[in-house]
Amino acid sequence: MKYLVRDKMFAIGDDYWIEDEQGRHAFLVDGKALRLRDTLELKDPAGRVLVTLRQKMFSLRDAMTIERDERPLATVRRKRLSLLRNHYRVTLVDGTELDVSGRILDREFTVEYEGELLAHISRQWFHVRETYAVNVVREDADAALQIAVAVCVIRMAERERED
C-alpha cells in the first residue's frame, strides 16, 4: 500500500494528512509546537494517537524515539561507519533491528528486516517536488511504524545537513 506524504508536514506545529493510494485520509501528522524537544504524533482518521515521535534528549548520538501508548517502541539512530550511503538503524524494544539505507535527503531509500524489503520510500511515483510515497511492501508490516521510521530518518538527515 502506498501512502502519499508531502514534505511540508515536517513543520512543527503544523497538522497534515497523509493519504492512501485512493486519496483517502489515512494518517494525521500532528506537530506539537512549544515543546522542549521535537515531537510529532501520527494519528488515525478518528484522532487516536498511533505513534509518537520524539527527538531523544541528552543522547551522545542524534536519535529519535518512536512510542506507542506512551511506551517506547523503537529508537532510530544513524548507523556508524556508513560512508557511502545514508544508513540508519531502527532498534525495536524486542531487540529486532531494521536497516534503513539509501539517499535519505533525495527521498529514495528502503526499510529492511534481515534483507527483506518492508517499505520503499520514493519520489519517483510523483512529479510534484515536495511529494513522496511510502510504499509498505509487506501486508503484515505496521504501516504507522514504517511511516514513522521514514519521518524520523528524514528529520535526522536534514538536521545533520544543517549542522
Side-chain angles (χ1 to χ4, degrees):
M1 169 73 79
K2 286 182 190 161
Y3 297 93
L4 172 70
V5 184
R6 290 190 180 90
D7 278 337
K8 77 172 192 171
M9 66 168 265
F10 294 128
I12 297 299
D14 288 348
D15 295 347
Y16 185 77
W17 283 102
I18 294 175
E19 300 171 348
D20 65 14
E21 290 177 285
Q22 289 76 36
R24 296 181 302 234
H25 291 167
F27 301 101
L28 175 66
V29 177
D30 185 358
K32 297 298 183 182
L34 304 173
R35 298 275 174 105
L36 179 61
R37 57 186 173 170
D38 196 2
T39 303
L40 295 169
E41 291 178 342
L42 191 63
K43 299 178 178 181
D44 68 9
R48 290 177 300 192
V49 176
L50 301 173
V51 292
T52 302
L53 293 68
R54 297 183 201 280
Q55 179 182 3
K56 197 165 186 176
M57 300 297 287
F58 311 114
S59 178
L60 293 177
R61 293 187 311 166
D62 192 22
M64 289 190 78
T65 59
I66 300 172
E67 301 171 1
R68 180 170 279 147
D69 299 324
E70 298 183 19
R71 291 189 306 262
L73 176 63
T75 301
V76 181
R77 287 189 173 88
R78 189 176 201 290
K79 193 173 176 182
R80 293 181 188 215
L81 304 174
S82 58
L83 301 174
L84 299 177
R85 295 168 38 167
N86 291 312
H87 279 90
Y88 289 81
R89 171 78 29 93
V90 180
T91 307
L92 302 175
V93 291
D94 68 3
T96 302
E97 292 186 340
L98 307 180
D99 187 48
V100 180
S101 63
R103 297 184 323 272
I104 307 297
L105 294 174
D106 292 335
R107 309 315 191 248
E108 295 292 336
F109 58 96
T110 59
V111 180
E112 297 179 339
Y113 170 67
E114 294 185 350
E116 185 176 348
L117 182 65
L118 298 178
H120 179 215
I121 291 76
S122 179
R123 278 194 172 142
Q124 74 182 21
W125 296 300
F126 301 101
H127 298 290
V128 180
R129 178 161 164 62
E130 288 82 25
T131 305
Y132 64 93
V134 176
N135 184 15
V136 180
V137 177
R138 284 188 41 169
E139 289 184 24
D140 62 341
D142 182 342
L145 176 61
Q146 300 307 312
I147 291 169
V149 166
V151 169
C152 284
V153 298
I154 290 169
R155 290 182 78 92
M156 292 170 70
E158 286 178 344
R159 271 198 307 266
E160 187 176 301
R161 180 183 60 186
E162 291 169 1
D163 292 343

